[in-house]
Amino acid sequence: ASNVPEVLPFILSAIFNIPLALTVAQILAIDLGTDILPSLALGMERPEPDVMQRPPRRRTQPLVDRRLLVRSLVWLGGIEAALSYIAFFYTFYLSGYPIMELGFAAVPGTIYALATTAFHAGVVTSQIGNALACRTETGHVRRMGWLSNPTLLLGIAVETLLIVATIYITPLARVFNHEPLPAVFWPGLILFAPILYGLEWLRKFLARRST
C-alpha cells in the first residue's frame, strides 16, 4: 500500500507542477527501513480462527488477484496518500503559502523540507494502522488478540524509533532532508494509524454484511 504515496507525488508533481512531496532518499527509508520488520512480522501471523470454515480457494486463483490489488493499491494506498498529502499541504498552509499557488510560488527550502518530512512521517504512521488492519482478511483484529504477535509490536516500535531518529538526529536528518517537526504536527500524524485502521474495519464490516 505504501507504494501509492511513494509513486503518486512524482505523478502529481509532473502533472500539476506542485512541489515533490517525497524524496528518493525518503522512499528508500520506507522500503528498506521502516517497512521491513512489520512486513516480516505479518508473515509470522497465525491463521485466523475461522479459516477452516471458509471455502477453499480455486486452484486457478492467483495469490495476487484483482481484489487484492484494488484493496491494497486503490483503497489502502489511496487512504495513505490522502492522509500524507493532508500533512504535506497543512505545512504550507501554516507557513502562509496558499495551496493553489504552490506551483508558482518560490517555496523556501526549510519549509519545503518540513513539508516532505510531514509527508514521510504520515506514510509511516499510516503504515502502522495498515499493518494492524492487515492481520486479518475479513474479521476484527481482537479475534486474533492485540498482543498475540509480539514480533509485529516490536516491528512497529522499531519503525517508530526509526522515523523519529531520522527526523530529530541531525546527521540522519541531513541524509534524508528532514526538518524537525514541531510538536503541533504529531497529534494529527498519530491519528493517521487509527483512521486508516478504522476505515479498513468499516470496509470489512460492510463486506461481511453483503455476503
Side-chain angles (χ1 to χ4, degrees):
S2 64
N3 289 337
V4 177
E6 290 174 354
V7 173
L8 193 60
F10 292 89
I11 298 174
L12 296 183
S13 179
I15 295 175
F16 298 108
N17 194 32
I18 61 175
L20 189 63
L22 202 65
T23 68
V24 173
Q26 291 163 355
I27 292 174
L28 292 175
I30 296 170
D31 292 339
L32 304 179
T34 54
D35 267 5
I36 288 181
L37 280 180
S39 299
L40 293 174
L42 285 175
M44 301 169 63
E45 192 68 61
R46 66 184 185 180
E48 296 185 55
D50 64 343
V51 68
M52 297 304 293
Q53 279 73 52
R54 303 176 191 171
R57 297 169 62 93
R58 299 190 309 273
R59 294 186 63 180
T60 57
Q61 182 178 355
L63 290 175
V64 181
D65 56 12
R66 181 183 300 175
R67 181 170 172 268
L68 177 61
L69 289 175
V70 170
R71 178 192 175 200
S72 60
L73 298 179
V74 178
W75 174 245
L76 294 172
I79 294 172
E80 286 193 18
L83 292 173
S84 300
Y85 262 112
I86 288 173
F88 181 73
F89 289 125
Y90 183 67
T91 305
F92 290 111
Y93 172 77
L94 287 181
S95 303
Y97 287 87
I99 295 175
M100 300 305 296
E101 297 180 8
L102 285 179
F104 308 98
V107 181
T110 301
I111 296 175
Y112 171 68
L114 187 64
T116 60
T117 303
F119 189 98
H120 184 186
V123 175
V124 173
T125 54
S126 298
Q127 279 288 81
I128 293 175
N130 187 30
L132 293 172
C134 288
R135 292 185 63 194
T136 68
E137 185 176 352
T138 59
H140 198 293
V141 172
R142 69 167 177 267
R143 298 171 55 198
M144 309 288 292
W146 288 102
L147 305 179
S148 62
N149 189 342
T151 307
L152 179 59
L153 299 178
L154 175 63
I156 290 173
V158 170
E159 74 173 324
T160 302
L161 290 174
L162 285 175
I163 187 62
V164 170
T166 59
I167 291 175
Y168 294 106
I169 297 179
T170 303
L172 292 176
R174 290 173 180 167
V175 170
F176 297 102
N177 194 32
H178 282 161
E179 284 290 327
L181 286 175
V184 68
F185 280 81
W186 284 110
L189 290 170
I190 291 171
L191 283 177
F192 286 3
I195 288 173
L196 186 142
Y197 178 89
L199 290 173
E200 173 63 359
W201 177 89
L202 179 62
R203 186 201 64 80
K204 293 176 184 177
F205 174 77
L206 295 175
R208 291 195 303 270
R209 290 287 298 271
S210 64
T211 56

